[in-house]
Amino acid sequence: LTGWGIGKPNRVNLNIQTINPLELKTLNCPFDIRDIQNAVLYLDKFHVNNVNLNLTYGIPGQTRITWKQTLRSALELEPSHITVSPLLAAAAVREEEQREWYQMACEYLNENGFRQYSVNQFTVNQAVSRYHYLKYMGCPVLGLGLDARSAWDGYVYSNTSDYRSYILHSAEPEQITANPQEMNLSYRTDRFLYHRLCLVNGFDEADYEKAFGRKLPDEALARLSGWQEQGLVTRNEGRC
């Protein structure tokens, strides 16, 4: 952490997931509530106080009460940023319930001074994640490290998950990347839609024309209409 302080990191992510002891055990987390509290205090000691807490809902055995308790306890740690995400493993909780729990988090965090600026992302004091915001706005992404994903120079690809191979061939990009896929117009259009809709402010359909030099394709407009019918997207005079 002394080295970190010298390097002046702009944010630290703590993947705490939950504050509930039984839920931590269910997820096989190698830490407990005391470790979480000590981590935050230790970071503060080294003046690393721009902290994001990753919280998870939909954990087997989790209830609305324990989820609310996790949200409340997380705020007591005074983070500048909070990310809430569903458990990705299987269907521990039905989709309708996950939406309800997500909405619960949105309302509770908003009531306590946090502003939502993108899907799952909440901030206080304007501590927006520049990485997520710029990625959603379409900036190129270069991933460094094991399993990191990149969208760079017209291609998307991922790095190897093999540590030994990554170290041995770190100076040979072609040896440590896999699954390259060219970002053709269809892919870039889908990427534009999904990323811009991750932002709370959405986008104007004219933004696509500015970025691509053409209007939204009929296939994309049909997709937006379908999402609108499902209640997932609102559209008003070209604003999504």
Side-chain angles (χ1 to χ4, degrees):
L1 285 178
T2 300
W4 280 12
I6 295 174
K8 297 182 179 180
N10 56 15
R11 171 163 295 159
V12 172
N13 290 319
L14 293 181
N15 191 30
I16 66 175
Q17 302 193 73
T18 176
I19 305 289
N20 184 275
L22 293 179
E23 294 166 7
L24 287 171
K25 186 176 181 180
T26 296
L27 296 173
N28 295 316
C29 293
F31 54 82
D32 57 24
I33 299 174
R34 186 178 302 174
D35 294 326
I36 295 170
Q37 295 170 333
N38 287 339
V40 174
L41 291 173
Y42 203 57
L43 288 169
D44 184 65
K45 178 180 178 180
F46 284 84
H47 307 291
V48 181
N49 49 26
N50 187 2
V51 177
N52 170 65
L53 301 182
N54 292 320
L55 307 178
T56 301
Y57 58 90
I59 301 169
Q62 190 178 49
T63 67
R64 291 170 179 81
I65 293 176
T66 60
W67 174 229
K68 189 70 170 288
Q69 290 172 339
T70 286
L71 292 169
R72 184 183 301 112
S73 297
L75 293 188
E76 292 175 355
L77 297 173
E78 300 183 353
S80 58
H81 194 280
I82 288 180
T83 303
V84 297
S85 305
L87 184 68
L88 297 180
V93 178
R94 290 185 296 113
E95 183 177 347
E96 295 80 5
E97 289 182 293
Q98 290 206 8
R99 288 188 182 183
E100 179 183 341
W101 291 20
Y102 178 69
Q103 187 60 37
M104 184 190 307
C106 292
E107 294 174 358
Y108 185 78
L109 293 173
N110 181 66
E111 291 169 359
N112 286 275
F114 278 76
R115 176 178 66 87
Q116 183 178 13
Y117 65 92
S118 71
V119 173
N120 301 347
Q121 307 279 335
F122 302 82
T123 180
V124 67
N125 299 328
Q126 305 300 316
V128 172
S129 168
R130 292 179 62 192
Y131 164 74
H132 284 100
Y133 180 78
L134 292 175
K135 182 180 74 170
Y136 294 152
M137 288 299 292
C139 289
V141 176
L142 180 62
L144 303 176
L146 298 177
D147 281 330
R149 291 181 56 83
S150 299
W152 191 267
D153 198 25
Y155 287 85
V156 289
Y157 53 88
S158 57
N159 291 349
T160 180
S161 59
D162 184 88
Y163 177 77
R164 179 177 174 80
S165 177
Y166 187 83
I167 296 300
L168 288 175
H169 302 288
S170 58
E172 305 169 90
E174 68 279 1
Q175 296 293 324
I176 61 172
T177 57
N179 305 317
Q181 179 181 351
E182 184 177 4
M183 292 191 288
N184 56 27
L185 178 61
S186 177
Y187 185 96
R188 289 186 289 121
T189 297
D190 288 345
R191 184 180 177 85
F192 176 91
L193 291 180
Y194 294 140
H195 280 183
R196 289 299 183 92
L197 289 174
C198 282
L199 295 171
V200 170
N201 293 332
F203 68 96
D204 285 316
E205 293 178 15
D207 293 338
Y208 179 90
E209 188 170 357
K210 292 177 183 177
F212 291 83
R214 54 177 293 171
K215 292 185 177 181
L216 270 170
D218 292 339
E219 296 84 356
L221 292 172
R223 196 173 300 122
L224 285 171
S225 296
W227 292 336
Q228 185 177 12
E229 292 175 2
Q230 297 175 50
L232 301 175
V233 173
T234 59
R235 296 176 68 195
N236 183 23
E237 298 181 353
R239 183 77 186 174
C240 299

